[in-house]
Amino acid sequence: MTDVATSGALLELCLPARWNGVLVVWGHGYTNPGPNRPPYTPLALPADEASGFLVKDIIRTIGTVEQGFYGYASTSYRRNGLVAPEAVEDLKDTSSWVRSRLQSLAAASGFGLLPIYTYLVGASEGGLSTVLTVEQPQVTSFFDGALALCAPAGDFQRQLEWFGDYRIVFDYFFPGVMPGTAVGIPNEETVVTDANWEATSAQVLAALDASPDATRQLVAVTELPHDAGDPETIREATTQILRYSFMGTNDATSVLGGNPIGNRTTSYEGSDDDGALNAGVARHDADPTALASVTATLQTSGSTHAPLVAMHTARDPVTPVWHTGLYQTKNQAAGGETVDVVLADRFGHCDFSLPELLAGFSQLIERVTNASLVTSATVFHTQAMKREFLELTRRFGSRPVVIEPLPD
């Protein structure tokens, strides 16, 4: 079932053939905005995957034949790009829209109210929107709990500076490889396209390969998360970070009302010649209007009003893992509901395996219901996936029940 909200956001509801009355609302991550003038990147419903399987399909296979399976809902948000504050409203609208469509189904199924529980799960920018949602006092009228995946929720100003500083240091060691600067991409209508990014990313990778010494210094100065001894993770991390600079810089400036990145007094360290580095890097001043916009709309408070599980990979190059520690500190100071932090010990941004994703979800179920997640083993496509899931949940502290399917 699909619809269009009054905001223009696309809405989707997918229920399994046998539903247990519980709903998961999925908040997708950052979508490239396209140029500031048409043609914009069109709105589209998310098609996110884990371990090669669509999230919407995974969710609808969690559960059992006897008790039913989970339902899935999602939204495109009202626009692409930096939209986290508005996405909060779109996610709540999605929850309300589902409830309005399920009134007749509730009566026919013998349920007093549907959904019985509604869980919010968001990834990357959608993870930030998830956290911002649970910080609102009225959240429990829309969601019973939330799982935030690789969310830049600790300090969004620092997140912007992470992108900006990486681009600034990259440009110092590899001048002329990327178009524009850390604070602006010229000729956006013709430059910022997927095809041009493919060409630019190929140039970035060629530059890294051609100058291993400069690459070593780039990693040292920025403290780039990667797997030691695996240069491919350096290549992957660099292109992932620089893609946000290429696709999102002008959009962020437009949304925030100015450039949010300032490094006039930043001292960079870790190169072979820090004096030359600090004398040679580009310097920029942040616009006070942009800084105020970040504070007003994108910074979290730590005051949670519903159970929240925050899941992160330990070596995330895009939204570094330090966000979890910063958010825990905010949460403790604010005195809200305690946040559970779940860490997956590996490299990658929001590239959770199916067992990892389900382990985080299992943690959320126990936080909300004080009962274990019960699911058929058929949600796992291999025995290895099931074993990994059970090992992770034991480590994280939840105790799910996995039921083997009956033999034919």
Side-chain angles (χ1 to χ4, degrees), residues 57-120:
D57 293 339
I58 295 170
I59 289 171
R60 292 181 297 159
T61 54
I62 304 172
T64 65
V65 173
E66 294 76 17
Q67 297 180 353
F69 299 88
Y70 286 76
Y72 167 93
S74 66
T75 174
S76 65
Y77 311 141
R78 65 192 62 190
R79 59 181 173 78
N80 298 319
L82 185 57
V83 68
E86 295 94 332
V88 171
E89 298 304 316
D90 295 333
L91 291 167
K92 291 192 299 185
D93 287 347
T94 304
S95 178
S96 296
W97 171 74
V98 170
R99 289 176 186 270
S100 69
R101 295 300 185 275
L102 294 178
Q103 291 177 357
S104 59
L105 181 60
S109 304
F111 293 112
L113 179 67
L114 284 176
I116 300 171
Y117 290 106
T118 302
Y119 300 111
L120 176 58

Side-chain angles (χ1 to χ4, degrees), residues 21-334:
V22 182
L23 183 75
V24 176
V25 175
W26 175 254
H28 70 79
Y30 187 87
T31 301
N32 297 330
N36 282 339
R37 292 194 289 274
Y40 297 100
T41 302
L43 294 178
L45 290 164
D48 298 294
E49 296 183 352
S51 299
F53 302 97
L54 288 173
V55 169
K56 70 166 68 176
D57 293 339
I58 295 170
I59 289 171
R60 292 181 297 159
T61 54
I62 304 172
T64 65
V65 173
E66 294 76 17
Q67 297 180 353
F69 299 88
Y70 286 76
Y72 167 93
S74 66
T75 174
S76 65
Y77 311 141
R78 65 192 62 190
R79 59 181 173 78
N80 298 319
L82 185 57
V83 68
E86 295 94 332
V88 171
E89 298 304 316
D90 295 333
L91 291 167
K92 291 192 299 185
D93 287 347
T94 304
S95 178
S96 296
W97 171 74
V98 170
R99 289 176 186 270
S100 69
R101 295 300 185 275
L102 294 178
Q103 291 177 357
S104 59
L105 181 60
S109 304
F111 293 112
L113 179 67
L114 284 176
I116 300 171
Y117 290 106
T118 302
Y119 300 111
L120 176 58
V121 181
S124 196
E125 185 185 18
L128 175 59
S129 298
T130 294
V131 175
L132 290 170
T133 299
V134 299
E135 290 184 345
Q136 297 189 359
Q138 73 274 30
V139 66
T140 52
S141 63
F142 299 95
F143 302 104
D144 298 284
L147 170 62
L149 306 169
C150 55
D155 187 332
F156 199 78
Q157 180 61 44
R158 186 171 165 184
Q159 175 66 44
L160 292 170
E161 291 165 358
W162 167 249
F163 286 150
D165 281 333
Y166 197 84
R167 171 67 196 270
I168 288 165
V169 176
F170 178 87
D171 284 348
Y172 172 80
F173 286 112
F174 303 98
V177 174
M178 290 279 292
T181 70
V183 300
I185 308 297
N187 305 317
E188 183 182 42
E189 294 77 13
T190 55
V191 171
V192 182
T193 67
D194 287 334
N196 285 345
W197 170 244
E198 288 183 13
T200 300
S201 64
Q203 293 171 359
V204 168
L205 293 176
L208 295 177
D209 294 342
S211 303
D213 194 56
T215 300
R216 171 184 58 80
Q217 294 181 75
L218 170 68
V219 171
V221 172
T222 60
E223 299 182 349
L224 178 70
H226 67 286
D227 284 342
D230 185 354
E232 186 56 36
T233 60
I234 295 174
R235 289 159 51 90
E236 182 179 343
T238 297
T239 54
Q240 285 184 350
I241 296 169
L242 293 181
R243 190 171 192 269
Y244 283 89
S245 174
F246 183 88
M247 294 289 187
T249 294
N250 292 359
D251 176 66
T253 298
S254 175
V255 170
L256 298 173
N259 164 45
I261 298 168
N263 70 330
R264 188 65 62 184
T265 61
T266 301
S267 178
Y268 298 97
E269 300 177 350
S271 71
D272 294 346
D273 187 343
D274 289 345
L277 171 64
N278 282 286
V281 294
R283 297 289 178 176
H284 307 283
D285 293 308
D287 190 306
T289 300
L291 297 178
S293 294
V294 172
T295 300
T297 63
L298 290 159
Q299 290 289 31
T300 57
S301 68
S303 179
T304 53
H305 297 273
L308 173 64
V309 176
M311 191 169 180
H312 225 103
T313 47
R315 293 176 297 285
D316 185 333
V318 175
T319 58
V321 71
W322 41 253
H323 276 288
T324 59
L326 292 176
Y327 192 77
Q328 280 184 304
T329 299
K330 283 185 177 182
N331 176 248
Q332 292 164 2

